[in-house]
Amino acid sequence: MKIFKSAEEFKNYTKNLGKSIGFVPTMGALHEGHMSLIKRAKEENDFCIVSIFVNPTQFLPGEDLSKYPRRLEADSKLCELAGVDALFLPTPEEMYEEDEPSIKAPNRAGYFLEGFVRPGHFDGVLTVVMKLLNISGASKAYFGQKDAQQLLLIKQMTKRYFMDVEIVECQIVREKEGLAMSSRNVYLDNEQKKASLSISKSLFAAGATIGAGELDCKKIEGKMREELKELDVEYIAFCNRQFKEIEKIELKNSIILVAARLGATRLIDNI
Ligand code: AMP
């Protein structure tokens, strides 16, 4: 596995490969969710590349940028074992100048739900993803449905900026008990981890309620709130694929999102 720290060298390398490239951008502290994206990228392309970069511009002041889990050595081993062909590990200085253009997330879809609680977060996400996609030379890039709003905004950006890359959506990987895998789960102590299960339970309960024929979002939310009563819930939202809020579930075209806090840790999940 080749390792690159220089954007220019990495770009030259990918440009001259003459192979189809599948790209998985991550912030590291890799878990099975990330590994499922890598597996899929390997299956669908000649060449699989991964980046690990804890992107400072997507963290707000006071968020966990400095304590975000960093495990470069273990992550590199995992990538090597998974058969990743090249790993890109840039520094913030490599990726950013002090004063430079940046992408602005759309005013509506980029500034509600996650973008409301974390204003400017998606500006940082879209800016770094634009840079990484340009460096990668990938024809396909793999993102998780775990970060559903991010996925929608990235898809929209690549479409509206006429970029030559296909964004591939990958399903959420969960722990046995249901908790969606996340690098931030390491912040949870045993008690919080147990309590966090009500997030996925509430989403599965919503799924079952809809399966039984209930389409009224208020009523479904009521059931979810029962499951979530022990947690500090930031939002429960019902949206269609365009991330417009809905009052009635549109079958096969709806997403239910939850964000909740456990102590200092924020968790998001969706179905
Ligand atoms: P991150 O390192 O958290 O920025 O995540 C990198 C990529 O992995 C993003 O596209 C995430 O949506 C995806 N991802 C994170 N957790 C999961 C999960 N549990 N299942 C599937 N994809 C995931």
Side-chain angles (χ1 to χ4, degrees):
M1 182 178 73
K2 283 187 174 294
I3 295 184
F4 292 85
K5 295 195 168 157
S6 149
E8 204 170 303
E9 281 173 25
F10 189 49
K11 189 164 193 275
N12 277 333
Y13 174 74
T14 56
K15 197 163 67 186
N16 295 315
L17 274 175
K19 296 180 175 179
S20 70
I21 299 174
F23 176 35
V24 182
T26 80
M27 298 209 300
L30 301 180
H31 50 67
E32 283 174 50
H34 298 116
M35 300 322 280
S36 73
L37 272 52
I38 292 172
K39 184 163 175 276
R40 184 133 176 227
K42 273 188 67 69
E43 282 165 5
E44 297 181 358
N45 301 277
D46 300 331
F47 214 76
C48 170
I49 62 180
V50 172
S51 65
I52 299 178
F53 179 57
V54 181
N55 172 39
T57 63
Q58 70 188 69
F59 288 78
L60 271 63
E63 288 189 344
D64 57 343
L65 172 62
S66 60
K67 71 173 185 122
Y68 194 85
R70 287 162 171 88
R71 292 197 230 117
L72 268 191
E73 212 169 303
D75 286 350
S76 305
K77 283 219 175 85
L78 280 174
C79 286
E80 180 129 45
L81 285 172
V84 170
D85 296 289
L87 188 56
F88 181 44
L89 307 174
T91 58
E93 295 72 32
E94 187 65 24
M95 294 298 282
Y96 291 104
E97 276 178 13
E98 200 187 305
D99 187 34
E100 60 167 35
S102 63
I103 303 284
K104 165 95 171 53
N107 290 332
R108 187 190 63 78
Y111 284 84
F112 92 131
L113 302 180
E114 281 307 284
F116 182 76
V117 184
R118 309 178 70 191
H121 165 70
F122 288 122
D123 300 2
V125 168
L126 294 183
T127 301
V128 81
V129 169
M130 169 73 89
K131 286 169 184 264
L132 289 168
L133 290 175
N134 284 340
I135 296 166
S136 74
S139 45
K140 291 186 180 179
Y142 295 77
F143 291 87
Q145 290 174 336
K146 160 84 173 28
D147 300 284
Q149 194 174 2
Q150 164 178 289
L151 181 55
L152 170 99
L153 293 170
I154 291 169
K155 276 189 146 176
Q156 190 188 22
M157 175 179 75
T158 55
K159 182 163 180 237
R160 298 309 305 156
Y161 281 73
F162 307 99
M163 295 165 72
D164 248 345
V165 59
E166 180 190 339
I167 303 301
V168 182
E169 290 192 21
C170 301
Q171 282 184 354
I172 300 177
V173 176
R174 299 177 178 281
E175 293 185 6
K176 258 207 312 283
E177 295 83 7
L179 175 64
M181 293 207 178
S182 161
S183 304
R184 288 191 167 98
N185 290 353
V186 297
Y187 298 150
L188 303 173
D189 63 28
N190 283 340
E191 211 161 290
Q192 289 172 326
K193 204 157 181 193
K194 226 164 138 190
S196 72
L197 296 182
S198 59
I199 299 175
S200 51
K201 273 194 192 147
S202 75
L203 290 165
F204 299 150
T209 310
I210 294 163
E214 181 60 76
L215 300 179
D216 184 311
C217 297
K218 276 273 162 294
K219 292 198 178 135
I220 299 163
E221 183 176 337
K223 290 245 181 260
M224 293 176 72
R225 294 239 174 235
E226 278 169 35
E227 248 346 306
L228 289 162
K229 60 181 178 293
E230 307 285 321
L231 291 196
D232 176 8
V233 176
E234 253 175 19
Y235 62 75
I236 297 176
F238 296 77
C239 295
N240 62 17
R241 271 184 202 278
Q242 290 71 44
F243 263 74
K244 294 218 166 97
E245 288 199 86
I246 51 174
E247 287 174 9
K248 223 174 155 175
I249 295 290
E250 303 162 17
L251 291 176
K252 296 196 193 296
N253 190 40
S254 303
I255 178 167
I256 308 175
L257 308 105
V258 175
R261 270 182 197 280
L262 287 109
T265 308
R266 277 188 89 238
L267 297 179
I268 58 169
D269 198 353
N270 68 76
I271 192 167

